[in-house]
């Protein structure tokens, strides 16, 4: 386990020190699309994310500690890498700890419209089987998913001054589809 922890610490340190320039993300014209925790971003960005989850279910409590790293290779293409450490505490029996399977992905932003304030992108994500701990339910097989993403602002109508009111506009930031299949 120490080897895995040291390797993870080394990679994290390397990527933090190797970052030379960070790019702003989520712009289409004058519209800025902020990053959300609930939905993956449709835009390509340089970011390091730490996330914790506490899930209380009838038969167990789960605590998850996740880290994800996204790296922009070109203005429209980037890679993603993510890992989650889980602590499972069932109502009966002992606690279980371990890493989930490693997740890797690539994303291509193929459409950005300043006029329509819209961003479209597609990706390919893989969860690599046998890279996590079976004690926390990590699968022994790999899965692929092909997500597509849309960020768009719809304005219903201009107000009396000819500009759009904040209450009249709606933004959508959501994955358009997500499917998984075993490899």
């Amino acid at each position: 386990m120490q080897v895995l922890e040291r390797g993870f610490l080394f990679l994290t340190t390397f990527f933090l020190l190797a970052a030379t320039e960070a790019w702003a993300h989520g712009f289409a014209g004058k519209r800025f699309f902020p990053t959300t925790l609930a939905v993956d971003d449709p835009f390509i960005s340089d970011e390091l994310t730490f996330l914790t989850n506490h899930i209380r279910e009838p038969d167990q409590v789960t605590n998850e500690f996740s880290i994800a790293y996204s790296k922009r290779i070109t203005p429209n293409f980037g890679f993603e890498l993510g890992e989650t450490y889980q602590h499972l505490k069932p109502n009966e029996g002992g606690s279980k700890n371990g890493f989930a399977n490693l997740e890797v992905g690539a994303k291509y932003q193929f459409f950005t419209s300043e006029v329509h304030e819209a961003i479209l992108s597609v990706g390919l994500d893989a969860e690599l089987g046998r890279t996590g701990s079976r004690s926390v339910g990590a699968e022994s097989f790999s899965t692929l998913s092909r997500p597509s993403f849309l960020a768009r602002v719809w304005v219903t109508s201009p107000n009396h001054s000819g500009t759009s009111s904040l209450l009249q506009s709606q933004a959508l930031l959501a994955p358009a589809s997500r499917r998984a299949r075993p490899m």
Side-chain angles (χ1 to χ4, degrees), residues 109-142:
Q109 182 176 323
F110 65 91
F111 178 78
T112 304
S113 172
E114 292 184 21
V115 174
H116 298 100
E117 296 180 333
I119 300 171
L120 293 170
S121 61
V122 295
L124 180 64
D125 293 336
E127 182 181 314
L128 306 178
R130 296 190 186 130
T131 58
S133 174
R134 286 188 179 207
S135 66
V136 293
E139 302 290 350
S140 60
F141 56 88
S142 297

PDB file of all heavy atoms in Angstrom, residues 109-142:
ATOM      1  N   GLN A 109     -13.599  19.340 -27.554  1.00  0.00           N
ATOM      2  CA  GLN A 109     -14.587  20.410 -27.683  1.00  0.00           C
ATOM      3  C   GLN A 109     -14.635  20.798 -29.156  1.00  0.00           C
ATOM      4  O   GLN A 109     -13.752  21.461 -29.659  1.00  0.00           O
ATOM      5  CB  GLN A 109     -14.175  21.593 -26.813  1.00  0.00           C
ATOM      6  CG  GLN A 109     -15.143  22.743 -26.813  1.00  0.00           C
ATOM      7  CD  GLN A 109     -14.698  23.832 -25.858  1.00  0.00           C
ATOM      8  OE1 GLN A 109     -14.164  23.561 -24.785  1.00  0.00           O
ATOM      9  NE2 GLN A 109     -14.911  25.074 -26.251  1.00  0.00           N
ATOM     10  N   PHE A 110     -15.686  20.365 -29.856  1.00  0.00           N
ATOM     11  CA  PHE A 110     -15.724  20.538 -31.307  1.00  0.00           C
ATOM     12  C   PHE A 110     -16.559  21.730 -31.764  1.00  0.00           C
ATOM     13  O   PHE A 110     -16.529  22.089 -32.942  1.00  0.00           O
ATOM     14  CB  PHE A 110     -16.225  19.264 -31.992  1.00  0.00           C
ATOM     15  CG  PHE A 110     -17.641  18.894 -31.672  1.00  0.00           C
ATOM     16  CD1 PHE A 110     -18.684  19.350 -32.455  1.00  0.00           C
ATOM     17  CD2 PHE A 110     -17.929  18.074 -30.586  1.00  0.00           C
ATOM     18  CE1 PHE A 110     -19.988  19.006 -32.162  1.00  0.00           C
ATOM     19  CE2 PHE A 110     -19.231  17.717 -30.302  1.00  0.00           C
ATOM     20  CZ  PHE A 110     -20.266  18.185 -31.081  1.00  0.00           C
ATOM     21  N   PHE A 111     -17.300  22.371 -30.854  1.00  0.00           N
ATOM     22  CA  PHE A 111     -18.145  23.483 -31.266  1.00  0.00           C
ATOM     23  C   PHE A 111     -18.196  24.528 -30.162  1.00  0.00           C
ATOM     24  O   PHE A 111     -18.523  24.210 -29.013  1.00  0.00           O
ATOM     25  CB  PHE A 111     -19.565  22.973 -31.566  1.00  0.00           C
ATOM     26  CG  PHE A 111     -20.535  24.047 -31.968  1.00  0.00           C
ATOM     27  CD1 PHE A 111     -20.517  24.576 -33.245  1.00  0.00           C
ATOM     28  CD2 PHE A 111     -21.469  24.520 -31.064  1.00  0.00           C
ATOM     29  CE1 PHE A 111     -21.424  25.557 -33.619  1.00  0.00           C
ATOM     30  CE2 PHE A 111     -22.380  25.501 -31.426  1.00  0.00           C
ATOM     31  CZ  PHE A 111     -22.356  26.022 -32.712  1.00  0.00           C
ATOM     32  N   THR A 112     -17.868  25.766 -30.518  1.00  0.00           N
ATOM     33  CA  THR A 112     -18.022  26.903 -29.616  1.00  0.00           C
ATOM     34  C   THR A 112     -18.609  28.039 -30.434  1.00  0.00           C
ATOM     35  O   THR A 112     -18.022  28.425 -31.438  1.00  0.00           O
ATOM     36  CB  THR A 112     -16.672  27.343 -29.006  1.00  0.00           C
ATOM     37  OG1 THR A 112     -16.086  26.228 -28.343  1.00  0.00           O
ATOM     38  CG2 THR A 112     -16.851  28.489 -28.039  1.00  0.00           C
ATOM     39  N   SER A 113     -19.762  28.535 -30.043  1.00  0.00           N
ATOM     40  CA  SER A 113     -20.430  29.603 -30.779  1.00  0.00           C
ATOM     41  C   SER A 113     -20.590  30.821 -29.884  1.00  0.00           C
ATOM     42  O   SER A 113     -21.302  30.769 -28.883  1.00  0.00           O
ATOM     43  CB  SER A 113     -21.800  29.134 -31.267  1.00  0.00           C
ATOM     44  OG  SER A 113     -22.516  30.232 -31.824  1.00  0.00           O
ATOM     45  N   GLU A 114     -19.923  31.909 -30.266  1.00  0.00           N
ATOM     46  CA  GLU A 114     -20.085  33.157 -29.532  1.00  0.00           C
ATOM     47  C   GLU A 114     -21.480  33.712 -29.726  1.00  0.00           C
ATOM     48  O   GLU A 114     -22.098  34.223 -28.785  1.00  0.00           O
ATOM     49  CB  GLU A 114     -19.043  34.178 -29.993  1.00  0.00           C
ATOM     50  CG  GLU A 114     -17.630  33.813 -29.621  1.00  0.00           C
ATOM     51  CD  GLU A 114     -16.632  34.882 -30.014  1.00  0.00           C
ATOM     52  OE1 GLU A 114     -17.042  36.048 -30.214  1.00  0.00           O
ATOM     53  OE2 GLU A 114     -15.447  34.560 -30.122  1.00  0.00           O
ATOM     54  N   VAL A 115     -22.007  33.619 -30.938  1.00  0.00           N
ATOM     55  CA  VAL A 115     -23.326  34.158 -31.255  1.00  0.00           C
ATOM     56  C   VAL A 115     -24.412  33.435 -30.467  1.00  0.00           C
ATOM     57  O   VAL A 115     -25.302  34.061 -29.893  1.00  0.00           O
ATOM     58  CB  VAL A 115     -23.602  34.049 -32.773  1.00  0.00           C
ATOM     59  CG1 VAL A 115     -25.027  34.460 -33.091  1.00  0.00           C
ATOM     60  CG2 VAL A 115     -22.609  34.883 -33.548  1.00  0.00           C
ATOM     61  N   HIS A 116     -24.348  32.106 -30.409  1.00  0.00           N
ATOM     62  CA  HIS A 116     -25.375  31.312 -29.724  1.00  0.00           C
ATOM     63  C   HIS A 116     -25.030  31.020 -28.262  1.00  0.00           C
ATOM     64  O   HIS A 116     -25.804  30.380 -27.566  1.00  0.00           O
ATOM     65  CB  HIS A 116     -25.598  29.989 -30.463  1.00  0.00           C
ATOM     66  CG  HIS A 116     -26.102  30.179 -31.852  1.00  0.00           C
ATOM     67  ND1 HIS A 116     -25.283  30.101 -32.948  1.00  0.00           N
ATOM     68  CD2 HIS A 116     -27.333  30.483 -32.310  1.00  0.00           C
ATOM     69  CE1 HIS A 116     -25.992  30.332 -34.038  1.00  0.00           C
ATOM     70  NE2 HIS A 116     -27.235  30.572 -33.679  1.00  0.00           N
ATOM     71  N   GLU A 117     -23.861  31.471 -27.825  1.00  0.00           N
ATOM     72  CA  GLU A 117     -23.375  31.224 -26.462  1.00  0.00           C
ATOM     73  C   GLU A 117     -23.529  29.753 -26.105  1.00  0.00           C
ATOM     74  O   GLU A 117     -24.205  29.380 -25.146  1.00  0.00           O
ATOM     75  CB  GLU A 117     -24.099  32.120 -25.463  1.00  0.00           C
ATOM     76  CG  GLU A 117     -23.818  33.588 -25.683  1.00  0.00           C
ATOM     77  CD  GLU A 117     -24.524  34.502 -24.708  1.00  0.00           C
ATOM     78  OE1 GLU A 117     -25.598  34.127 -24.197  1.00  0.00           O
ATOM     79  OE2 GLU A 117     -23.998  35.600 -24.453  1.00  0.00           O
ATOM     80  N   ALA A 118     -22.876  28.915 -26.903  1.00  0.00           N
ATOM     81  CA  ALA A 118     -23.012  27.467 -26.741  1.00  0.00           C
ATOM     82  C   ALA A 118     -21.663  26.778 -26.886  1.00  0.00           C
ATOM     83  O   ALA A 118     -20.781  27.251 -27.604  1.00  0.00           O
ATOM     84  CB  ALA A 118     -23.982  26.913 -27.778  1.00  0.00           C
ATOM     85  N   ILE A 119     -21.515  25.652 -26.181  1.00  0.00           N
ATOM     86  CA  ILE A 119     -20.330  24.800 -26.263  1.00  0.00           C
ATOM     87  C   ILE A 119     -20.810  23.356 -26.373  1.00  0.00           C
ATOM     88  O   ILE A 119     -21.683  22.931 -25.630  1.00  0.00           O
ATOM     89  CB  ILE A 119     -19.440  24.939 -25.006  1.00  0.00           C
ATOM     90  CG1 ILE A 119     -18.952  26.376 -24.836  1.00  0.00           C
ATOM     91  CG2 ILE A 119     -18.268  23.980 -25.067  1.00  0.00           C
ATOM     92  CD1 ILE A 119     -18.249  26.627 -23.513  1.00  0.00           C
ATOM     93  N   LEU A 120     -20.224  22.597 -27.306  1.00  0.00           N
ATOM     94  CA  LEU A 120     -20.502  21.169 -27.449  1.00  0.00           C
ATOM     95  C   LEU A 120     -19.191  20.411 -27.425  1.00  0.00           C
ATOM     96  O   LEU A 120     -18.212  20.821 -28.033  1.00  0.00           O
ATOM     97  CB  LEU A 120     -21.224  20.868 -28.764  1.00  0.00           C
ATOM     98  CG  LEU A 120     -22.644  21.396 -28.911  1.00  0.00           C
ATOM     99  CD1 LEU A 120     -23.117  21.230 -30.349  1.00  0.00           C
ATOM    100  CD2 LEU A 120     -23.570  20.650 -27.977  1.00  0.00           C
ATOM    101  N   SER A 121     -19.167  19.277 -26.731  1.00  0.00           N
ATOM    102  CA  SER A 121     -17.970  18.443 -26.710  1.00  0.00           C
ATOM    103  C   SER A 121     -18.362  16.977 -26.565  1.00  0.00           C
ATOM    104  O   SER A 121     -19.472  16.654 -26.144  1.00  0.00           O
ATOM    105  CB  SER A 121     -17.029  18.859 -25.579  1.00  0.00           C
ATOM    106  OG  SER A 121     -17.655  18.722 -24.331  1.00  0.00           O
ATOM    107  N   VAL A 122     -17.436  16.109 -26.938  1.00  0.00           N
ATOM    108  CA  VAL A 122     -17.604  14.659 -26.805  1.00  0.00           C
ATOM    109  C   VAL A 122     -16.378  14.114 -26.092  1.00  0.00           C
ATOM    110  O   VAL A 122     -15.324  14.743 -26.069  1.00  0.00           O
ATOM    111  CB  VAL A 122     -17.785  13.954 -28.172  1.00  0.00           C
ATOM    112  CG1 VAL A 122     -19.078  14.392 -28.833  1.00  0.00           C
ATOM    113  CG2 VAL A 122     -16.600  14.199 -29.078  1.00  0.00           C
ATOM    114  N   GLY A 123     -16.531  12.921 -25.541  1.00  0.00           N
ATOM    115  CA  GLY A 123     -15.415  12.334 -24.819  1.00  0.00           C
ATOM    116  C   GLY A 123     -15.427  10.825 -24.880  1.00  0.00           C
ATOM    117  O   GLY A 123     -16.354  10.203 -25.411  1.00  0.00           O
ATOM    118  N   LEU A 124     -14.395  10.254 -24.334  1.00  0.00           N
ATOM    119  CA  LEU A 124     -14.287   8.815 -24.147  1.00  0.00           C
ATOM    120  C   LEU A 124     -13.682   8.604 -22.766  1.00  0.00           C
ATOM    121  O   LEU A 124     -12.589   9.094 -22.482  1.00  0.00           O
ATOM    122  CB  LEU A 124     -13.407   8.171 -25.215  1.00  0.00           C
ATOM    123  CG  LEU A 124     -13.232   6.660 -25.105  1.00  0.00           C
ATOM    124  CD1 LEU A 124     -14.574   5.957 -25.301  1.00  0.00           C
ATOM    125  CD2 LEU A 124     -12.238   6.158 -26.139  1.00  0.00           C
ATOM    126  N   ASP A 125     -14.428   7.940 -21.890  1.00  0.00           N
ATOM    127  CA  ASP A 125     -13.984   7.671 -20.522  1.00  0.00           C
ATOM    128  C   ASP A 125     -13.808   6.176 -20.339  1.00  0.00           C
ATOM    129  O   ASP A 125     -14.578   5.387 -20.891  1.00  0.00           O
ATOM    130  CB  ASP A 125     -15.001   8.169 -19.500  1.00  0.00           C
ATOM    131  CG  ASP A 125     -15.116   9.684 -19.477  1.00  0.00           C
ATOM    132  OD1 ASP A 125     -14.153  10.355 -19.882  1.00  0.00           O
ATOM    133  OD2 ASP A 125     -16.165  10.186 -19.044  1.00  0.00           O
ATOM    134  N   ALA A 126     -12.815   5.805 -19.557  1.00  0.00           N
ATOM    135  CA  ALA A 126     -12.587   4.394 -19.249  1.00  0.00           C
ATOM    136  C   ALA A 126     -12.347   4.231 -17.760  1.00  0.00           C
ATOM    137  O   ALA A 126     -11.629   5.027 -17.144  1.00  0.00           O
ATOM    138  CB  ALA A 126     -11.385   3.854 -20.029  1.00  0.00           C
ATOM    139  N   GLU A 127     -12.974   3.232 -17.182  1.00  0.00           N
ATOM    140  CA  GLU A 127     -12.692   2.817 -15.813  1.00  0.00           C
ATOM    141  C   GLU A 127     -11.897   1.530 -15.950  1.00  0.00           C
ATOM    142  O   GLU A 127     -12.387   0.545 -16.499  1.00  0.00           O
ATOM    143  CB  GLU A 127     -13.975   2.569 -15.042  1.00  0.00           C
ATOM    144  CG  GLU A 127     -13.717   2.180 -13.602  1.00  0.00           C
ATOM    145  CD  GLU A 127     -15.002   1.917 -12.836  1.00  0.00           C
ATOM    146  OE1 GLU A 127     -15.939   2.718 -12.942  1.00  0.00           O
ATOM    147  OE2 GLU A 127     -15.044   0.890 -12.137  1.00  0.00           O
ATOM    148  N   LEU A 128     -10.648   1.563 -15.516  1.00  0.00           N
ATOM    149  CA  LEU A 128      -9.733   0.443 -15.732  1.00  0.00           C
ATOM    150  C   LEU A 128      -9.916  -0.625 -14.662  1.00  0.00           C
ATOM    151  O   LEU A 128      -9.616  -0.394 -13.485  1.00  0.00           O
ATOM    152  CB  LEU A 128      -8.288   0.937 -15.761  1.00  0.00           C
ATOM    153  CG  LEU A 128      -8.011   2.063 -16.768  1.00  0.00           C
ATOM    154  CD1 LEU A 128      -6.571   2.517 -16.677  1.00  0.00           C
ATOM    155  CD2 LEU A 128      -8.351   1.604 -18.183  1.00  0.00           C
ATOM    156  N   GLY A 129     -10.419  -1.779 -15.083  1.00  0.00           N
ATOM    157  CA  GLY A 129     -10.651  -2.890 -14.165  1.00  0.00           C
ATOM    158  C   GLY A 129      -9.365  -3.403 -13.545  1.00  0.00           C
ATOM    159  O   GLY A 129      -8.278  -3.246 -14.093  1.00  0.00           O
ATOM    160  N   ARG A 130      -9.499  -3.998 -12.369  1.00  0.00           N
ATOM    161  CA  ARG A 130      -8.384  -4.571 -11.603  1.00  0.00           C
ATOM    162  C   ARG A 130      -7.366  -3.536 -11.128  1.00  0.00           C
ATOM    163  O   ARG A 130      -6.245  -3.879 -10.796  1.00  0.00           O
ATOM    164  CB  ARG A 130      -7.669  -5.657 -12.414  1.00  0.00           C
ATOM    165  CG  ARG A 130      -8.533  -6.831 -12.710  1.00  0.00           C
ATOM    166  CD  ARG A 130      -7.729  -7.970 -13.298  1.00  0.00           C
ATOM    167  NE  ARG A 130      -8.642  -9.022 -13.702  1.00  0.00           N
ATOM    168  CZ  ARG A 130      -8.642  -9.594 -14.879  1.00  0.00           C
ATOM    169  NH1 ARG A 130      -7.761  -9.244 -15.778  1.00  0.00           N
ATOM    170  NH2 ARG A 130      -9.510 -10.523 -15.158  1.00  0.00           N
ATOM    171  N   THR A 131      -7.729  -2.253 -11.130  1.00  0.00           N
ATOM    172  CA  THR A 131      -6.819  -1.236 -10.592  1.00  0.00           C
ATOM    173  C   THR A 131      -7.263  -0.780  -9.209  1.00  0.00           C
ATOM    174  O   THR A 131      -6.545  -0.033  -8.564  1.00  0.00           O
ATOM    175  CB  THR A 131      -6.728  -0.009 -11.524  1.00  0.00           C
ATOM    176  OG1 THR A 131      -8.034   0.548 -11.699  1.00  0.00           O
ATOM    177  CG2 THR A 131      -6.150  -0.389 -12.875  1.00  0.00           C
ATOM    178  N   GLY A 132      -8.426  -1.237  -8.767  1.00  0.00           N
ATOM    179  CA  GLY A 132      -8.945  -0.875  -7.454  1.00  0.00           C
ATOM    180  C   GLY A 132      -9.010  -2.068  -6.535  1.00  0.00           C
ATOM    181  O   GLY A 132      -8.647  -3.188  -6.896  1.00  0.00           O
ATOM    182  N   SER A 133      -9.488  -1.821  -5.335  1.00  0.00           N
ATOM    183  CA  SER A 133      -9.573  -2.855  -4.315  1.00  0.00           C
ATOM    184  C   SER A 133     -10.920  -3.576  -4.394  1.00  0.00           C
ATOM    185  O   SER A 133     -11.970  -2.943  -4.374  1.00  0.00           O
ATOM    186  CB  SER A 133      -9.395  -2.206  -2.938  1.00  0.00           C
ATOM    187  OG  SER A 133      -9.606  -3.144  -1.926  1.00  0.00           O
ATOM    188  N   ARG A 134     -10.887  -4.891  -4.428  1.00  0.00           N
ATOM    189  CA  ARG A 134     -12.126  -5.668  -4.468  1.00  0.00           C
ATOM    190  C   ARG A 134     -12.922  -5.516  -3.176  1.00  0.00           C
ATOM    191  O   ARG A 134     -14.133  -5.666  -3.177  1.00  0.00           O
ATOM    192  CB  ARG A 134     -11.818  -7.145  -4.709  1.00  0.00           C
ATOM    193  CG  ARG A 134     -11.413  -7.418  -6.117  1.00  0.00           C
ATOM    194  CD  ARG A 134     -11.317  -8.896  -6.355  1.00  0.00           C
ATOM    195  NE  ARG A 134     -10.944  -9.124  -7.740  1.00  0.00           N
ATOM    196  CZ  ARG A 134     -11.261 -10.201  -8.394  1.00  0.00           C
ATOM    197  NH1 ARG A 134     -11.909 -11.171  -7.795  1.00  0.00           N
ATOM    198  NH2 ARG A 134     -10.903 -10.339  -9.648  1.00  0.00           N
ATOM    199  N   SER A 135     -12.255  -5.193  -2.080  1.00  0.00           N
ATOM    200  CA  SER A 135     -12.955  -5.071  -0.796  1.00  0.00           C
ATOM    201  C   SER A 135     -13.983  -3.943  -0.803  1.00  0.00           C
ATOM    202  O   SER A 135     -14.931  -3.959  -0.034  1.00  0.00           O
ATOM    203  CB  SER A 135     -11.960  -4.878   0.345  1.00  0.00           C
ATOM    204  OG  SER A 135     -11.292  -3.637   0.220  1.00  0.00           O
ATOM    205  N   VAL A 136     -13.808  -2.933  -1.672  1.00  0.00           N
ATOM    206  CA  VAL A 136     -14.773  -1.839  -1.759  1.00  0.00           C
ATOM    207  C   VAL A 136     -15.624  -1.949  -3.025  1.00  0.00           C
ATOM    208  O   VAL A 136     -16.315  -1.005  -3.401  1.00  0.00           O
ATOM    209  CB  VAL A 136     -14.083  -0.459  -1.689  1.00  0.00           C
ATOM    210  CG1 VAL A 136     -13.468  -0.243  -0.320  1.00  0.00           C
ATOM    211  CG2 VAL A 136     -13.074  -0.285  -2.790  1.00  0.00           C
ATOM    212  N   GLY A 137     -15.561  -3.086  -3.690  1.00  0.00           N
ATOM    213  CA  GLY A 137     -16.428  -3.332  -4.834  1.00  0.00           C
ATOM    214  C   GLY A 137     -15.882  -2.919  -6.181  1.00  0.00           C
ATOM    215  O   GLY A 137     -16.641  -2.818  -7.145  1.00  0.00           O
ATOM    216  N   ALA A 138     -14.579  -2.680  -6.293  1.00  0.00           N
ATOM    217  CA  ALA A 138     -14.000  -2.332  -7.590  1.00  0.00           C
ATOM    218  C   ALA A 138     -14.122  -3.534  -8.524  1.00  0.00           C
ATOM    219  O   ALA A 138     -13.821  -4.667  -8.139  1.00  0.00           O
ATOM    220  CB  ALA A 138     -12.540  -1.926  -7.433  1.00  0.00           C
ATOM    221  N   GLU A 139     -14.583  -3.285  -9.737  1.00  0.00           N
ATOM    222  CA  GLU A 139     -14.817  -4.359 -10.707  1.00  0.00           C
ATOM    223  C   GLU A 139     -13.510  -4.921 -11.257  1.00  0.00           C
ATOM    224  O   GLU A 139     -12.496  -4.232 -11.308  1.00  0.00           O
ATOM    225  CB  GLU A 139     -15.669  -3.832 -11.867  1.00  0.00           C
ATOM    226  CG  GLU A 139     -17.002  -3.267 -11.451  1.00  0.00           C
ATOM    227  CD  GLU A 139     -17.984  -4.322 -10.964  1.00  0.00           C
ATOM    228  OE1 GLU A 139     -17.729  -5.532 -11.117  1.00  0.00           O
ATOM    229  OE2 GLU A 139     -19.021  -3.928 -10.403  1.00  0.00           O
ATOM    230  N   SER A 140     -13.571  -6.163 -11.687  1.00  0.00           N
ATOM    231  CA  SER A 140     -12.389  -6.791 -12.284  1.00  0.00           C
ATOM    232  C   SER A 140     -12.350  -6.561 -13.793  1.00  0.00           C
ATOM    233  O   SER A 140     -11.392  -6.922 -14.444  1.00  0.00           O
ATOM    234  CB  SER A 140     -12.398  -8.297 -11.997  1.00  0.00           C
ATOM    235  OG  SER A 140     -13.556  -8.890 -12.546  1.00  0.00           O
ATOM    236  N   PHE A 141     -13.385  -5.940 -14.354  1.00  0.00           N
ATOM    237  CA  PHE A 141     -13.405  -5.658 -15.790  1.00  0.00           C
ATOM    238  C   PHE A 141     -13.422  -4.148 -16.009  1.00  0.00           C
ATOM    239  O   PHE A 141     -13.801  -3.374 -15.128  1.00  0.00           O
ATOM    240  CB  PHE A 141     -14.633  -6.297 -16.455  1.00  0.00           C
ATOM    241  CG  PHE A 141     -15.944  -5.889 -15.849  1.00  0.00           C
ATOM    242  CD1 PHE A 141     -16.604  -4.752 -16.294  1.00  0.00           C
ATOM    243  CD2 PHE A 141     -16.518  -6.633 -14.837  1.00  0.00           C
ATOM    244  CE1 PHE A 141     -17.814  -4.360 -15.736  1.00  0.00           C
ATOM    245  CE2 PHE A 141     -17.730  -6.260 -14.274  1.00  0.00           C
ATOM    246  CZ  PHE A 141     -18.376  -5.121 -14.722  1.00  0.00           C
ATOM    247  N   SER A 142     -13.003  -3.722 -17.182  1.00  0.00           N
ATOM    248  CA  SER A 142     -12.963  -2.309 -17.531  1.00  0.00           C
ATOM    249  C   SER A 142     -14.259  -1.920 -18.237  1.00  0.00           C
ATOM    250  O   SER A 142     -14.914  -2.753 -18.859  1.00  0.00           O
ATOM    251  CB  SER A 142     -11.785  -2.024 -18.464  1.00  0.00           C
ATOM    252  OG  SER A 142     -10.574  -2.306 -17.810  1.00  0.00           O
TER     253      SER A 142
END
